[in-house]
Amino acid sequence: MEKKMIILFVLCFCFYCAGQEIKIPDNFMESAIPKVESKEWYGLINSKDSYAVKKENNKLVVEKNSFYKGNSELEIEDGKLIGENKGEWGGELYFQPKKDKEKIVKIKFGNIVDIFKFQNKIYFTEGFGIWGSLYELTKDSVFTYRKIESFGDALEALTIFNNIIYIVSHHGFYKVVNQEAISIFRNQFWRGLYPNSVAVFDEENIFIGMRSGIAKLNIVKKEVSFYRGKELDTY
């Protein structure tokens, strides 16, 4: 009996490690990957609907959201870091003290995408057009920053899973391990679909929210799938 239980445990463990089965919400249907600048691709770009993904209780949750991301914010001990991204008009990273909220400390000019804590350090990303960067931010008497990685693509959204940073860009996907960026996918169909969020269950189940639907990535097998909203509102 004990031997059977051990075998069953090993089989279950191997099945789990091979990838979970994540349920796609019923209001999405799997669709062929559109070729960039094809009729099908332009149809997706003309949709008014955008979707964000997140992981809740180990389930995939997909919600409608706005195309345009607001300011990024991060609370730290003595105040708040705020990042602005105004597209072609630029943006800025600045600090707002708790004790004197009118006293704004400007840190860096640029299109700030995300500000986040990782392994007891503070990082931020920026990007616009065909470039993007990851920075580490430190504070002693003043704020200083240093560039960790440069990307030949605008960074759009990220998440952290198992001490790895996963980043979706304008047309690609990366993971950052030990402050080194690894390119997984390039020149993907979501160029122009404004990817806005990433949810990671394991490396065979990574989801990206975007205009018109969601993408599923399997970076073990290097596979990309697309799930289109069944009822899209178009311009």
Side-chain angles (χ1 to χ4, degrees):
M1 182 65 179
E2 183 179 351
K3 186 177 181 181
K4 288 182 179 179
M5 290 296 291
I6 293 173
I7 293 173
L8 180 61
F9 173 79
V10 171
L11 289 174
C12 290
F13 179 77
C14 291
F15 175 78
Y16 179 80
C17 291
Q20 308 172 63
E21 187 66 32
I22 307 301
K23 177 176 170 50
I24 305 297
D26 293 335
N27 56 325
F28 292 88
M29 60 182 181
E30 188 166 6
S31 180
I33 300 292
K35 184 178 179 180
V36 173
E37 296 186 354
S38 66
K39 178 181 177 181
E40 293 76 16
W41 182 78
Y42 279 115
L44 298 177
I45 282 184
N46 287 327
S47 171
K48 295 179 182 178
D49 296 327
S50 178
Y51 301 93
V53 297
K54 61 182 178 179
K55 183 168 69 171
E56 284 188 354
N57 299 320
N58 214 37
K59 293 182 180 179
L60 175 66
V61 176
V62 184
E63 299 174 338
K64 282 191 177 183
N65 76 332
S66 169
F67 290 116
Y68 305 105
K69 187 176 179 180
N71 291 348
S72 301
E73 297 184 356
L74 179 67
E75 295 279 354
I76 58 177
E77 184 178 356
D78 51 352
K80 181 190 297 184
L81 292 165
I82 301 173
E84 295 180 339
N85 184 352
K86 299 177 182 178
E88 60 190 284
W89 292 279
E92 193 167 44
L93 174 65
Y94 59 90
F95 174 69
Q96 184 181 66
K98 282 183 181 178
K99 294 182 178 179
D100 186 359
K101 293 186 178 182
E102 300 301 318
K103 185 181 178 182
I104 300 299
V105 179
K106 295 182 179 181
I107 301 172
K108 186 181 189 303
F109 176 82
N111 297 89
I112 309 303
V113 180
D114 280 296
I115 314 167
F116 61 101
K117 284 184 178 179
F118 178 60
Q119 295 179 340
N120 298 316
K121 296 180 180 179
I122 298 174
Y123 295 87
F124 66 93
T125 58
E126 67 172 342
F128 180 71
I130 60 172
W131 62 271
S133 300
L134 171 67
Y135 295 86
E136 180 183 338
L137 179 70
T138 57
K139 182 189 177 185
D140 294 314
S141 56
V142 295
F143 284 100
T144 58
Y145 55 87
R146 68 183 184 95
K147 185 182 292 187
I148 301 298
E149 278 281 5
S150 293
F151 303 77
D153 192 7
L155 307 184
E156 302 286 359
L158 62 84
T159 193
I160 297 167
F161 178 77
N162 283 352
N163 285 319
I164 296 175
I165 304 169
Y166 294 87
I167 303 175
V168 61
S169 65
H170 181 61
H171 63 70
F173 191 81
Y174 304 84
K175 65 179 184 179
V176 179
V177 183
N178 297 325
Q179 296 193 341
E180 179 181 354
I182 302 168
S183 177
I184 309 297
F185 294 106
R186 294 280 291 173
N187 300 318
Q188 290 297 311
F189 75 96
W190 56 76
R191 187 182 84 187
L193 296 181
Y194 298 99
N196 58 66
S197 51
V198 184
V200 180
F201 293 81
D202 55 45
E203 293 207 332
E204 295 185 68
N205 291 279
I206 299 175
F207 296 88
I208 301 170
M210 63 187 70
R211 174 180 273 179
S212 295
I214 60 176
K216 177 184 177 183
L217 311 184
N218 183 325
I219 66 176
V220 176
K221 298 180 180 179
K222 297 295 194 299
E223 295 176 346
V224 177
S225 304
F226 177 58
Y227 296 86
R228 179 182 182 274
K230 288 182 178 179
E231 296 180 7
L232 293 179
D233 186 11
T234 58
Y235 289 102

